[in-house]
Amino acid sequence: MLHFLKKNKDVICTGIELNEEKVAKCIEKGLTVLQGDINEEVLDYPDDAFDYVILSQTLQQIYEPGKLIRAILRIGRKGVVSFPNFSHWNVRLQLLTTGRAPLTKQLPYDWHNTPNIRVISIEDFRRFSRETGFSILREAAINTDHHENSGNIIKLFSNLRATYGVFLIGNDQ
Amino acid sequence: MSEYRARDKDRMSVGVVEKKSLTFARPPMEMALENGYTLGPVTLAYETYGKLNPDKSNVILILHALSGDAHAAGYYHEDDAKPGWWETMVGPGKGIDTHKYFVVCSNILGSCSGSTGPGSINPNTAKPFGLDFPVVTIGDMVAAQKALIDHLGIKKILSVVGGSVGGLQALEWCLKFPDMVVSAIPLATTPKHSALSIAFNEVARQAIMVDPHWNKGHYYDGAKPDLGLAVARMIGHITYLSDESMRQKFGRRLQDRNDFSFNFDGDFQVESYLRYQGAKFVERFDANSFLYITKAADYFDITRQYGSGSLVKAFSRARAKFLVVSFTSDWLYPTYQSKAMVKAMKKNGLDISFCEIKADWGHDAFLLASERLTTLIAGFLERVCNETKK
């Protein structure tokens, strides 16, 4: 994603990744990437160091999501947060019919090996924004196709139909 | 750093190279040192590989570690068994690709490998300096290298690259001459020597100074303090390895015997290894140079020199893009020291990439052939090279 942004949008960008091999792959491709824990790395930057801070498919793996969201809105003017929607109809149906933790393309792990320690739905995130005290500036609910190369934006019943939620967030005015 | 000089299996090499030298700061234009003294004339040994492009924008400056020299790559003649100390990294198609870049490797002030140091002739007495040689700093070494770079007509360096004490020089370059350095790759290094590093260096220096042949540094016309220098080198080698690498490399295996000898000849392989390294080192290194260079490394502290005690303030001078690399088992300059630099660089909004490479080989890992390190350096250099063309 960083590579896409740098190549196509000509942005100046920095990535944070924990895994040495992934860090090395990014640096080899010519990206600026720091190896470290996102929860700690965000603390070092000065206020408003970035225009945008993107948490791509990361929030569901964070132990203290409120703290991290506040940190990214301190170091960036705006944030972009995306996560797999846990209230998609397929997830609900699986839980209802099989009585087991659901497995989908977006959430492919078993309960005991998933890195996704938080289950978030689009509706949960809206509620979370009010409780934590940040604004949702724009939101897009996306339903990906089978190959997951592209998706459609969903307007109606998004919490039920979308596989992913993408939010543009900012500080409360 | 130790002596890993492997001939490249693919025989990709810069080939036969020549050691050159530059003499400058001739009296009365002597070089002013950080301690207030002046020194001149000053000679620096250096080597270059690859071709300087017309706009002189493809320069890589390699800075060597404590016991290194200007001979980073290639061979001195066709039958030379031993290539330069970073043959695995520097050459055509390698991590630092001599097809693309003009590579300069400069020896350091205080060394004994062709540059002015305590073993050089003091022009005032016509005898070797010994301890009359002024105590030089990493800053002085870099100031001398700047004279070399000026002499080569180079205004901007695409990247300064160095590991260990070479990394100290790389950091010094970024802060002393920030507008000349486009990017820097400090490997397995530190913004200041820790008590642990100073302690090891001090024990090594003491080993030299208690050798009766040391004679307060005046030994150049008689027996040399070889035993002291060998012990100093043995201590160094322990710090370059790690618990894990020693366990793998030697364990408790015995050398050339099946049982304990019940004397002090040296039973274990690790003893034999250290003795061999010590004995080999004295053939090529001057004990006084060892004292001066370790002292310079101990004095090195960019927070003090450039930041009034603050590492963040020190890096506020820097303009370079950084690739910082540390190694998991390095206990001489552990990762937390690299991370402290990275943190300070981030606070200054610098373009900084950082990778901690998992390696069992301790501090020496930066010198060993590593696919990971090679591709990291190659990718980073290619990016900074492309970005300067924009």
Side-chain angles (χ1 to χ4, degrees), chain B residues 353-368:
Chain B
S353 291
F354 167 66
C355 188
E356 183 190 30
I357 297 180
K358 187 181 176 318
D360 290 336
W361 302 106
H363 181 62
D364 256 346
F366 85 92
L367 278 175
L368 297 167

Side-chain angles (χ1 to χ4, degrees), chain A residues 6 20 28 30 35 41, chain B residues 346 356 358 372 375 383:
Chain A
K6 184 164 170 163
E20 177 204 328
E28 284 161 26
Q35 186 178 350
E41 295 299 327
Chain B
K346 279 163 77 184
E356 183 190 30
K358 187 181 176 318
R372 172 62 41 85
T375 52
R383 164 169 81 93

Side-chain angles (χ1 to χ4, degrees), chain A residues 6 10 12-14 16 20-25 27-37 40-46 49, chain B residues 323 328 339 342-343 346-359 371-372 375-380 382-383 387 390:
Chain A
K6 184 164 170 163
D10 204 25
I12 300 168
C13 50
T14 290
I16 295 170
E20 177 204 328
E21 191 171 336
K22 291 179 182 170
V23 171
K25 285 257 154 64
I27 296 173
E28 284 161 26
K29 276 190 196 167
L31 296 169
T32 300
V33 173
L34 289 166
Q35 186 178 350
D37 181 332
E40 291 162 24
E41 295 299 327
V42 291
L43 303 176
D44 301 330
Y45 292 103
Chain B
L323 170 61
T328 49
K339 287 205 97 163
V342 169
K343 200 179 245 245
K346 279 163 77 184
K347 289 189 175 175
N348 282 293
L350 291 166
D351 182 312
I352 147 93
S353 291
F354 167 66
C355 188
E356 183 190 30
I357 297 180
K358 187 181 176 318
E371 182 70 26
R372 172 62 41 85
T375 52
L376 272 177
I377 289 180
F380 176 78
E382 193 175 338
R383 164 169 81 93
E387 284 172 357
K390 276 185 186 168

Side-chain angles (χ1 to χ4, degrees), chain A residues 83-96 102-107 120-124 141-146 154 157-165:
Chain A
F83 52 84
N85 178 26
F86 204 76
S87 63
H88 184 257
W89 62 264
N90 188 11
V91 175
R92 297 188 196 194
L93 194 65
Q94 277 194 43
L95 188 60
L96 188 68
L103 288 177
T104 65
K105 273 206 158 67
Q106 296 76 39
L107 297 157
I120 325 163
S121 73
I122 288 175
E123 185 49 38
D124 281 331
I142 293 172
N143 192 13
T144 44
D145 67 13
H146 289 308
I154 297 179
F157 302 113
S158 58
N159 197 36
L160 187 64
R161 292 172 57 217
T163 50
Y164 293 101

Side-chain angles (χ1 to χ4, degrees), chain B residues 45-364:
Chain B
Y46 70 98
E47 292 184 13
T48 67
Y49 323 110
K51 280 204 180 77
L52 186 60
N53 64 8
D55 60 357
K56 300 184 177 179
S57 63
N58 66 336
V59 179
I60 310 272
L61 176 62
I62 293 181
L63 306 155
H64 67 72
L66 170 61
S67 63
D69 53 30
H71 189 37
Y75 301 84
Y76 283 140
H77 51 82
E78 288 296 338
D79 308 321
D80 193 350
K82 220 168 149 191
W85 56 267
W86 220 9
E87 178 71 10
T88 53
M89 185 63 75
V90 184
K94 295 186 184 178
I96 299 175
D97 189 348
T98 48
H99 280 321
K100 293 182 190 166
Y101 308 114
F102 177 65
V103 179
V104 181
C105 182
S106 165
N107 193 206
I108 51 179
L109 192 61
S111 169
C112 51
S113 310
S115 302
T116 304
S120 306
I121 300 297
N122 181 347
N124 299 324
T125 62
K127 286 182 180 163
F129 278 103
L131 288 206
D132 293 335
F133 192 73
V135 173
V136 292
T137 61
I138 300 288
D140 295 327
M141 294 173 185
V142 165
Q145 286 160 353
K146 161 81 160 46
L148 169 65
I149 294 298
D150 287 346
H151 165 78
L152 295 172
I154 295 161
K155 298 269 184 284
K156 267 195 191 266
I157 302 170
L158 181 64
S159 204
V160 291
V161 187
S164 191
V165 171
L168 308 184
Q169 297 162 60
L171 293 173
E172 182 77 32
W173 259 101
C174 296
L175 302 183
K176 201 175 183 74
F177 304 110
D179 296 327
M180 285 182 73
V181 183
V182 179
S183 75
I185 309 181
L187 306 168
T189 196
T190 180
K192 59 184 172 193
H193 254 203
S194 65
L196 182 85
S197 319
I198 296 171
F200 282 130
N201 277 349
E202 173 57 7
V203 178
R205 283 190 295 265
Q206 284 296 333
I208 291 170
M209 294 190 290
V210 297
D211 186 318
H213 293 308
W214 181 62
N215 191 28
K216 292 199 158 61
H218 291 286
Y219 52 77
Y220 291 101
D221 47 7
K224 295 182 171 63
D226 286 348
L227 291 176
L229 181 59
V231 173
R233 185 59 169 173
M234 289 164 81
I235 296 161
H237 268 277
I238 299 169
T239 68
Y240 308 149
L241 295 167
S242 69
D243 180 33
E244 179 62 23
S245 63
M246 283 201 187
R247 198 174 63 76
Q248 286 184 26
K249 208 167 174 165
F250 315 110
R252 287 182 56 80
R253 284 188 292 280
L254 301 176
Q255 180 75 22
D256 302 329
R257 67 184 77 229
N258 297 319
D259 206 350
F260 295 161
S261 65
F262 293 100
N263 63 37
F264 299 100
D265 287 346
D267 297 305
F268 295 101
Q269 280 186 5
V270 65
E271 292 173 304
S272 162
Y273 170 84
L274 291 175
R275 288 176 185 200
Y276 172 75
Q277 293 293 344
K280 211 168 64 166
F281 189 59
V282 301
E283 292 167 14
R284 68 173 183 94
F285 215 80
D286 177 37
N288 283 337
S289 278
F290 192 96
L291 299 181
Y292 277 89
I293 298 170
T294 54
K295 198 72 192 174
D298 288 352
Y299 280 160
F300 183 77
D301 178 359
I302 52 175
T303 60
R304 181 175 178 273
Q305 182 80 3
Y306 295 107
S308 323
S310 155
L311 192 55
V312 177
K313 192 176 164 206
F315 276 110
S316 68
R317 305 167 59 90
R319 297 287 171 270
K321 295 167 183 172
F322 287 91
L323 170 61
V324 176
V325 179
S326 69
F327 298 87
T328 49
S329 57
D330 184 350
W331 65 306
L332 190 57
Y333 301 136
T335 291
Y336 79 87
Q337 297 176 5
S338 286
K339 287 205 97 163
M341 289 194 296
V342 169
K343 200 179 245 245
M345 291 167 180
K346 279 163 77 184
K347 289 189 175 175
N348 282 293
L350 291 166
D351 182 312
I352 147 93
S353 291
F354 167 66
C355 188
E356 183 190 30
I357 297 180
K358 187 181 176 318
D360 290 336
W361 302 106
H363 181 62
D364 256 346

Side-chain angles (χ1 to χ4, degrees), chain A residues 2-66:
Chain A
L2 217 52
H3 196 231
F4 176 86
L5 286 174
K6 184 164 170 163
K7 228 171 102 187
N8 296 295
K9 303 273 179 182
D10 204 25
V11 296
I12 300 168
C13 50
T14 290
I16 295 170
E17 166 63 49
L18 193 57
N19 178 287
E20 177 204 328
E21 191 171 336
K22 291 179 182 170
V23 171
K25 285 257 154 64
C26 290
I27 296 173
E28 284 161 26
K29 276 190 196 167
L31 296 169
T32 300
V33 173
L34 289 166
Q35 186 178 350
D37 181 332
I38 177 83
N39 298 290
E40 291 162 24
E41 295 299 327
V42 291
L43 303 176
D44 301 330
Y45 292 103
D47 292 356
D48 289 339
F50 300 96
D51 296 322
Y52 293 92
V53 179
I54 303 172
L55 272 184
S56 174
Q57 310 281 334
T58 309
L59 193 67
Q60 73 276 10
Q61 300 176 4
I62 298 297
Y63 185 66
E64 292 183 281

